[in-house]
Amino acid sequence: MAALTYVHHLALTVTDVDRSVPWYERVLDLEEVTRREDDRTGLRKVLLRARGDHNSGVALVLVQHPDPARPGPPLGADSGSRWGVAFDERRTGLDHVAFTVGSRAELLEWEQRLAEYGVTYTPAAPSRTMPGSEVVVFRDPDGIQLEVWLDPK
């Protein structure tokens, strides 16, 4: 059997691609490569990749479903048969997405970038997952946990 070689892309469900795409472009310096909007189903998908290097391995697809579950009160006119829920990494499904950098200086540059864009983050700290690694933790506009990760040298 052929071995899997890498993750082609990671798809994240967002509540509003028109809000999320500019955030990912600005904060993570990704660029929109392609967009698909299906008028029949209401499904919207946007592929983002690392700016200028479409072979870097960083590929995110932001997906907006026509009936997203949103945090807060019940949705719909039927007295709330569907409750919106906030992202919670403790629920089965996605826990977080981690992006790697090559040096501690780069990790600290990411801290500066997040601060510059007003993104709340946890400063670089030792990872509890892999001894010797460090991580900066933050969240996207929908509350999805993201990390910038430095492997041990």
Side-chain angles (χ1 to χ4, degrees):
M1 168 152 223
L4 300 175
T5 56
Y6 64 94
V7 174
H8 183 268
H9 69 271
L10 180 64
L12 303 176
T13 297
V14 298
T15 55
D16 183 352
V17 294
D18 293 327
R19 175 186 65 175
S20 294
V21 167
W23 187 91
Y24 278 86
E25 288 177 329
R26 184 178 64 255
V27 175
L28 297 186
D29 200 28
L30 300 177
E31 66 180 334
E32 183 174 327
V33 174
T34 187
R35 180 181 289 250
R36 185 182 134 232
E37 300 191 22
D38 188 325
D39 293 333
R40 187 179 52 80
T41 65
L43 189 68
R44 303 174 73 200
K45 293 183 178 185
V46 178
L47 172 64
L48 300 160
R49 286 200 172 270
R51 191 170 300 284
D53 182 6
H54 293 210
N55 296 315
S56 73
V58 176
L60 290 180
V61 176
L62 302 182
V63 181
Q64 179 182 333
H65 295 274
D67 56 350
R70 296 180 187 269
L75 301 173
D78 62 350
S79 299
S81 61
R82 187 159 178 204
W83 284 85
V85 291
F87 176 82
D88 185 342
E89 59 272 6
R90 295 167 295 183
R91 240 188 343 262
T92 300
L94 178 70
D95 189 276
H96 65 273
V97 178
F99 302 96
T100 59
V101 293
S103 70
R104 186 151 206 294
E106 291 175 354
L107 187 65
L108 297 178
E109 284 177 25
W110 274 99
E111 276 189 18
Q112 289 178 314
R113 183 180 187 88
L114 295 171
E116 179 180 319
Y117 287 112
V119 176
T120 302
Y121 65 93
T122 303
S127 161
R128 291 179 283 177
T129 303
M130 180 183 284
S133 56
E134 290 185 83
V135 64
V136 173
V137 180
F138 58 104
R139 293 183 184 270
D140 84 345
D142 285 299
I144 298 171
Q145 183 173 305
L146 303 170
E147 299 177 353
V148 178
W149 182 277
L150 175 63
D151 281 324
K153 296 291 179 197

